[in-house]
């Protein structure tokens, strides 16, 4: 275990680790609290531990990243590029409101799904993130804002359901060790066959967000290459299972791309598709990505689309754009940095 980072370990696992070194169990509680509540980056910082043991612990990695770039926007949103142990860089975003501090976490370095409108998808996939690398993002935002994180959305770089085991381990740690309620966490997926069903079998109370983006299979395939191997009806059937097993409503994410999927007949089609489905539709005005060839619709068109949904009895809202002045869309900050590096 010495080579493993400590972050991600439960109190029981830390206790076993501490006892294996001939230390009393209560030392594990102290380490647990310093790691997850106080955000210790190094075990030698933990001043309540005996001096002699502490000096021996210097070589044990906690598993914290380094902030390579911090970019704040006028609305208070802060976007970070975090450098991992192997030098690769990921994005994390801290989004404050008066009531909440939400962290948008990455689950992979890059992403293999290659969605047409997504900056991360354009850069390819490097590797999956480990549980400590996911938990670290939350602790980094907590430390930087000097404020407790209340919500976590798995909407950063990567496809969480292609890294489900590690995402589940990170969720456990965020829930039990960091103390964030499962209902305050959202996993967002574009859909991977069989994986929503697998997630449902864990009976979590975590919100599932499904990135729909089109009201029919044909249009969806044009935006999302992986949709060719995952018919919309199969995706919706799995989403329905998630609702049945967990009792939780689904969020449907729908990016609005001007002239492509924001037409009135498409809104009507979307309303028909999700009618009666215990869900909420989040309309996300497209954040322009260089070279993607899409446009953000005008505010009037966005409102017209919303109106058709609400008049059709669909619960829907437009997601307010945050941090637009600092490359807010998924993967944009990293893409810009790589171009200028
Ligand atoms: N792979 C997962 C999670 C990461 S993307 C998923 O697809 O859901 C998180 C959300 O950001 C998705 O709904 C995605 O479609 C959206 N997104 C990606 N690029 C965007 C852009 N340029 N403008 C607006 N939303 C974008």
């Amino acid at each position: 275990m010495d080579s493993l980072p400590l972050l991600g370990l439960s109190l029981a696992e830390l206790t076993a680790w501490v006892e294996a070194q001939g230390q009393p169990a209560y030392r594990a509680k102290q380490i647990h609290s310093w790691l997850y509540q106080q955000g210790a980056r190094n075990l030698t910082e933990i001043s309540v531990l005996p001096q002699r043991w502490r000096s021996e612990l210097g070589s044990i990695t906690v598993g914290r990243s380094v902030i390579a770039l911090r970019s704040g926007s006028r609305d208070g949103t802060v976007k970070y590029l975090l450098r991992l142990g192997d030098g690769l860089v990921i994005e994390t975003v801290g989004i404050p409101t008066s009531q909440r501090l939400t962290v948008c976490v990455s689950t992979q370095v890059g992403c293999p799904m290659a969605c047409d409108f997504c900056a991360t998808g354009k850069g390819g996939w490097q590797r999956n993130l480990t549980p400590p690398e996911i938990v670290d993002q939350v602790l980094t935002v907590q430390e930087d804002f000097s404020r407790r994180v209340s919500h976590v959305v798995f909407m950063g770089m990567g496809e969480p359901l292609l890294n489900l085991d590690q995402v589940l381990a990170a969720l456990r740690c965020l829930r039990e060790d960091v103390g964030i309620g499962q209902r305050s966490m959202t996993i967002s997926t574009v859909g991977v066959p069989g994986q929503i069903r697998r997630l449902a079998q864990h009976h979590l109370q975590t919100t599932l967000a499904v990135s729909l983006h089109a009201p029919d299979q044909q249009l969806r395939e044009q935006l999302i290459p992986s949709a060719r191997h995952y018919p919309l009806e199969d995706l919706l059937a799995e989403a329905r299972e998630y609702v049945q097993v967990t009792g939780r409503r689904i969020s449907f994410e729908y990016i609005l791309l001007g002239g492509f999927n924001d037409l009135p007949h498409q809104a009507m089609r979307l309303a028909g598709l999700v009618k009666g489905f215990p869900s909420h539709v989040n309309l996300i005005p497209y954040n322009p990505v260089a070279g993607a060839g899409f446009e953000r619709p005008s505010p009037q068109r966005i409102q017209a689309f919303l109106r058709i949904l609400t008049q059709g009895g669909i619960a829907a809202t437009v997601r307010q754009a945050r941090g637009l002045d600092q490359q807010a869309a998924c993967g944009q900050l990293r893409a810009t940095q790589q171009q200028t590096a």
Side-chain angles (χ1 to χ4, degrees):
M1 182 173 286
D2 276 6
S3 57
L4 274 182
L6 291 187
L7 220 55
L9 297 188
S10 65
L11 183 58
E13 288 166 326
L14 282 173
T15 304
W17 180 73
V18 156
E19 285 179 342
Q21 298 184 59
Q23 295 287 333
Y26 72 88
R27 294 282 178 221
K29 277 201 180 135
Q30 293 175 323
I31 295 177
H32 187 270
S33 155
W34 278 70
L35 286 184
Y36 295 116
Q37 306 309 322
Q38 319 217 33
R41 293 184 158 266
N42 197 307
L43 292 185
T44 54
E45 279 174 41
I46 308 182
S47 54
V48 291
L49 300 180
Q51 187 72 51
R52 247 191 73 202
W53 191 41
R54 244 197 295 165
S55 57
E56 288 165 21
L57 294 176
S59 61
I60 308 286
T61 21
V62 165
R64 297 300 306 269
S65 65
V66 175
I67 299 179
L69 185 82
R70 180 187 187 282
S71 164
S73 96
R74 280 190 297 276
D75 63 13
T77 300
V78 180
K79 195 148 191 169
Y80 307 85
L81 290 184
L82 302 183
R83 182 161 298 114
L84 305 173
D86 62 0
L88 292 176
V89 168
I90 52 164
E91 283 188 15
T92 301
V93 191
I95 308 157
T97 64
S98 57
Q99 307 288 329
R100 296 179 170 197
L101 176 56
T102 302
V103 182
C104 177
V105 296
S106 293
T107 55
Q108 298 185 306
V109 187
C111 185
M113 304 308 270
C115 301
D116 235 16
F117 47 80
C118 177
T120 302
K122 302 218 169 294
W125 176 83
Q126 277 84 47
R127 68 169 173 86
N128 286 338
L129 292 184
T130 63
E133 287 168 335
I134 297 172
V135 173
D136 162 74
Q137 299 174 59
V138 175
L139 296 179
T140 296
V141 174
Q142 191 151 278
E143 179 183 344
D144 191 45
F145 276 79
S146 300
R147 183 176 162 192
R148 283 195 69 87
V149 167
S150 60
H151 291 73
V152 176
V153 294
F154 290 74
M155 291 189 183
M157 305 173 75
E159 171 45 54
L161 296 194
L162 285 177
N163 189 18
L164 185 55
D165 291 337
Q166 319 249 47
V167 165
L168 285 168
L171 272 177
R172 187 220 54 78
C173 178
L174 291 171
R175 209 170 63 228
E176 293 174 14
D177 303 319
V178 182
I180 299 169
Q182 355 181 5
R183 286 170 179 259
S184 306
M185 298 199 263
T186 301
I187 297 181
S188 179
T189 180
V190 73
V192 179
Q195 294 301 86
I196 294 177
R197 182 169 300 128
R198 261 194 72 206
L199 179 64
Q201 282 154 5
H202 288 268
H203 294 266
L204 299 175
Q205 285 298 294
T206 305
T207 303
L208 179 70
V210 172
S211 291
L212 203 56
H213 306 328
D216 59 63
Q217 174 68 12
Q218 200 204 355
L219 197 69
R220 197 163 189 270
E221 283 183 15
Q222 287 180 39
L223 287 173
I224 303 167
S226 63
R228 280 175 223 143
H229 312 288
Y230 196 24
L232 196 47
E233 61 198 64
D234 293 357
L235 169 64
L236 293 177
E238 281 198 56
R240 205 165 273 119
E241 269 183 46
Y242 190 88
V243 174
Q244 276 157 5
V245 173
T246 64
R248 304 276 293 158
R249 278 198 311 172
I250 301 272
S251 282
F252 285 115
E253 313 282 299
Y254 192 99
I255 294 194
L256 287 169
L257 304 160
F260 188 85
N261 67 355
D262 69 336
L263 305 172
H265 77 270
Q266 291 164 325
M268 281 184 245
R269 194 131 197 214
L270 177 61
L273 192 67
V274 303
K275 184 93 188 157
F277 202 118
S279 63
H280 182 97
V281 176
N282 265 322
L283 300 175
I284 315 170
Y286 169 64
N287 257 331
V289 169
F294 294 110
E295 275 174 29
R296 170 184 282 235
S298 68
Q300 292 78 356
R301 292 226 2 194
I302 294 171
Q303 286 310 313
F305 197 94
L306 176 66
R307 214 171 308 117
I308 293 172
L309 292 182
T310 44
Q311 281 168 359
I314 305 299
T317 40
V318 177
R319 184 179 295 161
Q320 198 195 341
R322 306 242 339 181
L324 195 60
D325 51 348
Q326 33 105 34
Q327 304 290 328
C330 182
Q332 283 187 341
L333 184 65
R334 195 182 72 142
T336 323
Q337 279 306 109
Q338 282 170 347
Q339 275 156 21
T340 52

